[in-house]
Every structure is written in C-alpha cells, then in structure tokens.
Amino acid sequence: MKIGITEIIVICVIALVVLGPEKLPIYAKKLGASLKEVKKVTGDLSKDIRENIVEPLDEASAPLKEAIEPIVSLKEDVNKSIDDVTKSFKSIGKPAKKEEPKPEVIEAEVSEAAVEAETEVLAQTEETETPSLAETYTGRKAPRRSRPTAKTTGRRTHNA
C-alpha cells in the first residue's frame, strides 16, 4: 500500500487539528522513532527468515533440481516423439505433396497390398483361437458340452 502526497497532507491537517500545534512535533518525533524501530525489526525478521528458511531450502533443492533435469529432458523427448507420431497418423490417407504417381498404379498397388494384408489376417485368425475364460484361469481346456438334439415335435421333454 502506497501513500501519495495528498494522503500525507490530509493526515497532517487532521493531526494538527486533533493534537494541536504544541503537541504535534512531540508526536511526530515519537511516530518517526516507532517507524524506525518497526523497520529495524522487520529487516531483522526478514534476514532471519532468509538465513534460516530460504537458504537451506535452496541448498536442499539444488540436488533435487539436478536429479530432475534428466527426467525433464526425457519428458520433452517423449513429447516430441508423441507429436511426431500424431502428425504421421494425421497424415495417413492424405496425398503426399511431392510427386504423385499415376492413379492406375496406385489403385493396383493398394488393391494388391489390401488383398495380401487380408489374407495374412485371415491366416493368423485361423491359426490362433482365443482361449475361453476357463482356459485363461485354469490353463486347461474346458470340455465341450454337446447341444441337445431337436426332436420331431420341436419341444424339449424332461424326464422326471
């Protein structure tokens, strides 16, 4: 909070009216001495805080900052890699800005590549079966249950 010249003039006029011209210099000296004392105490207090709290914290935080530097640089590298990958994913399906080969050649290459990829996926899915929950937890295959056969009437009958 800063006090301007107009505020100081108003305070002096009010003090002159309240205290009178005889007592004003005495109280002004006391006010000056008390302000000087407050300034000295706050200076000592801030010096003690700086010596006892701030400097030890700075000394303790210096090794931590050195230990964190590799992690921060690693984070920046990972973020750059992620940005590059996102840019490459966004550019998938968009035409390249450089030379564009003939459309017939591109269609033939794409269709051949799609057929090859599809056959590989089908071959892999036929070779690998997904395990059932029983296999996942026990490690053994569960016996297959046989389905009930349909009778001529189309209804199930229960023997009691």
Side-chain angles (χ1 to χ4, degrees):
M1 180 172 93
K2 294 185 179 182
I3 299 175
I5 295 175
T6 55
E7 288 89 5
I8 292 174
I9 292 173
V10 170
I11 291 172
C12 289
V13 169
I14 292 173
L16 184 61
V17 171
V18 171
L19 299 175
E22 299 89 29
K23 295 182 182 177
L24 186 61
I26 298 169
Y27 284 109
K29 286 181 185 178
K30 288 182 181 180
L31 180 66
S34 62
L35 287 176
K36 184 178 179 182
E37 189 67 30
V38 167
K39 187 175 180 180
K40 181 181 174 186
V41 168
T42 57
D44 290 341
L45 185 62
S46 65
K47 181 182 174 186
D48 288 342
I49 290 172
R50 193 175 333 107
E51 288 175 354
N52 295 327
I53 296 174
V54 175
E55 290 175 2
L57 283 176
D58 288 341
E59 291 173 7
S61 66
L64 292 175
K65 288 179 183 177
E66 291 175 10
I68 290 176
E69 284 179 21
I71 296 171
V72 170
S73 65
L74 179 65
K75 177 187 171 194
E76 291 172 359
D77 292 342
V78 168
N79 285 340
K80 286 180 184 178
S81 299
I82 289 172
D83 290 342
D84 292 341
V85 169
T86 2
K87 287 179 184 176
S88 66
F89 276 128
K90 287 181 181 178
S91 66
I92 291 176
K94 293 182 180 178
K97 292 182 180 178
K98 294 184 179 179
E99 299 177 22
E100 293 185 24
K102 296 177 183 177
E104 296 104 16
V105 175
I106 291 175
E107 290 174 6
E109 290 175 0
V110 168
S111 63
E112 290 174 3
V115 169
E116 290 175 5
E118 190 174 352
T119 54
E120 287 179 10
V121 168
L122 287 174
Q124 289 176 355
T125 55
E126 290 175 1
E127 293 174 3
T128 60
E129 291 182 23
T130 57
S132 65
L133 287 176
E135 289 179 59
T136 306
Y137 289 112
T138 61
R140 295 182 284 165
K141 278 193 167 189
R144 291 191 169 247
R145 289 193 255 169
S146 61
R147 293 185 172 209
T149 56
K151 296 192 178 190
T152 56
T153 59
R155 296 183 184 176
R156 290 188 190 177
T157 57
H158 295 285
N159 295 334

